[in-house]
């Protein structure tokens, strides 16, 4: 299918986007593709496909365990491009790749960008790459029409936020709390303040910035809360935990329950509005666990 820009998909959602994270190749390549397609069908606005990495500085224990098992079975970076191509052949939901920078450097920045674009990928989220050190990636992304998503954290200075706003295309990844990923019972209050700062800095620069909040979201109620002040909610560990425990049907059901938080009437409208594909999954809805989620 043709590539749809991440920004266009978020705006088409009424700026009420749900972005689901899954590691590529977990628990195996075929299942990871099926899971990604399932969360798209269940209501995710975009897919964040994580590249397994041996030193994941931001990832919490659920994602670390999944990626470690994927590395141990012999994951190859070629599987990423195979997965992206397989997913984008079945859904027009944008597929962003979340990767630490070292694998891209080893593969070759230009070569990576070319392969990702050819597979139908939307772009990269680069948690350990700052805009001031990203000249090669920015140029390659421009040549291949790829999104580039940079992070802003509660500790970011105004100057750092300005650079993230100027360099990002797609959205600014708004980190809700300091530390590693993983679900919390309450999404950090710092997320709202940071989202407001990003909007204010963008306005001061005469532009706009879409803000998607990640780290700590695991329930439809939290999705709905985040969407009261941001343009998207990113969920990871809860989906990874569901996939690892009960497979694709479980991750589909969980994604559908989270998508209920994007509805104008909130999670209460889930039963009437859940995609019909979830009804045929054959499992009861999976309750997000408090120890999970990006």
């Amino acid at each position: 299918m043709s590539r749809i820009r991440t920004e266009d998909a978020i705006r088409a959602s009424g700026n009420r986007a749900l972005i689901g994270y899954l590691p590529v190749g977990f628990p195996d390549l075929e299942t990871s593709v099926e899971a990604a397609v399932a969360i798209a069908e269940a209501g995710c606005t975009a897919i964040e496909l994580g590249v397994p990495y041996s030193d994941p500085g931001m990832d919490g224990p659920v994602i670390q365990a999944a990626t470690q098992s994927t590395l141990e079975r012999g994951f190859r970076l070629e599987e990423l491009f195979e997965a992206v191509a397989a997913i984008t052949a079945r859904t027009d939901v944008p597929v962003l790749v979340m990767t630490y920078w070292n694998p891209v450097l080893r593969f070759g920045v230009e070569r990576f960008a070319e392969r990702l674009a050819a597979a139908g990928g939307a772009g990269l989220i680069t948690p350990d790459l700052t805009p001031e050190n990203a000249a090669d990636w920015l140029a390659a992304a421009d040549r291949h029409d790829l999104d580039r998503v940079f992070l802003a954290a509660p500790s970011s200075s105004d100057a750092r936020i300005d650079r993230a706003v100027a360099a990002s295309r797609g959205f600014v990844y708004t980190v809700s709390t300091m530390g590693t990923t993983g679900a919390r019972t309450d999404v950090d209050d710092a997320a709202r303040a940071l989202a407001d700062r990003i909007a204010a800095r963008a306005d001061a620069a005469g532009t706009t910035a879409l803000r998607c909040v990640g780290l700590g979201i695991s329930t439809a109620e939290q999705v709905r809360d985040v969407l009261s002040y941001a343009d998207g909610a990113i969920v990871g560990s809860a989906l990874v935990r569901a996939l690892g425990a009960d497979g694709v049907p479980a991750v589909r059901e969980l994604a559908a329950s989270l998508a209920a938080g994007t509805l104008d009437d909130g999670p209460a409208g889930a039963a009437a509005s859940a995609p019909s594909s979830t009804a045929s999954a054959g499992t009861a809805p999976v309750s997000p666990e408090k120890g999970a989620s990006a």
Side-chain angles (χ1 to χ4, degrees), residues 20-282:
Y21 168 95
L22 291 168
V24 64
F26 174 75
D28 56 68
L29 182 59
E30 181 180 357
T31 304
S32 70
V33 169
E34 293 300 323
V37 172
I39 67 171
E41 293 174 344
C44 282
T45 310
I47 297 164
E48 181 183 341
L49 207 59
V51 175
Y53 188 54
S54 58
D55 186 23
M58 270 186 63
D59 298 335
V62 172
I63 293 175
Q64 283 188 24
T67 56
Q68 184 60 35
S69 69
T70 304
L71 289 170
E72 288 173 354
R73 71 159 177 79
F75 172 82
R76 300 169 298 104
L77 198 54
E78 286 292 336
E79 293 182 40
L80 168 67
F81 304 113
E82 292 173 20
V84 172
I87 295 164
T88 56
R90 295 171 58 186
T91 178
D92 59 2
V93 166
V95 178
L96 288 158
V97 172
M98 195 289 282
T99 181
Y100 294 93
W101 191 237
N102 197 41
V104 180
L105 276 179
R106 290 201 310 265
F107 194 82
V109 177
E110 177 67 23
R111 181 181 172 215
F112 193 104
E114 182 178 12
R115 291 290 303 279
L116 181 61
L124 292 184
I125 300 168
T126 50
D128 62 343
L129 181 69
T130 60
E132 55 267 37
N133 294 316
D136 288 347
W137 163 234
L138 294 175
D142 281 343
R143 282 192 292 271
H144 296 284
D145 195 26
L146 293 168
D147 290 334
R148 57 277 181 113
V149 176
F150 292 96
L151 275 66
S155 61
S156 297
S157 65
D158 284 347
R160 175 57 59 84
I161 290 175
D162 290 347
R163 287 192 288 269
V165 167
S168 291
R169 185 165 61 203
F171 60 89
V172 176
Y173 196 122
T174 306
V175 180
S176 69
T177 189
M178 299 305 293
T180 60
T181 62
R184 297 164 180 85
T185 54
D186 296 301
V187 176
D188 200 302
D189 288 341
R192 186 184 297 268
L194 177 58
D196 289 345
R197 284 181 65 205
I198 292 170
R201 298 305 302 175
D203 186 63
T207 187
T208 59
L210 295 178
R211 301 146 302 156
C212 294
V213 173
L215 305 185
I217 302 167
S218 59
T219 69
E221 289 75 14
Q222 288 176 338
V223 170
R224 186 184 187 192
D225 179 61
V226 164
L227 295 180
S228 71
Y229 60 83
D231 304 291
I234 303 170
V235 181
S237 295
L239 293 169
V240 177
R241 183 184 292 273
L243 178 60
D246 296 303
V248 173
V251 81
R252 181 191 295 272
E253 292 288 351
L254 178 54
S257 74
L258 292 164
T262 69
L263 304 176
D264 289 339
D265 57 351
S273 303
S276 59
S277 59
T278 64
S280 62

Side-chain angles (χ1 to χ4, degrees), residues 4-14 17 45-46 94:
I4 295 177
R5 284 190 176 277
T6 308
E7 179 177 346
D8 292 341
I10 293 171
R11 295 196 185 281
S13 75
T45 310

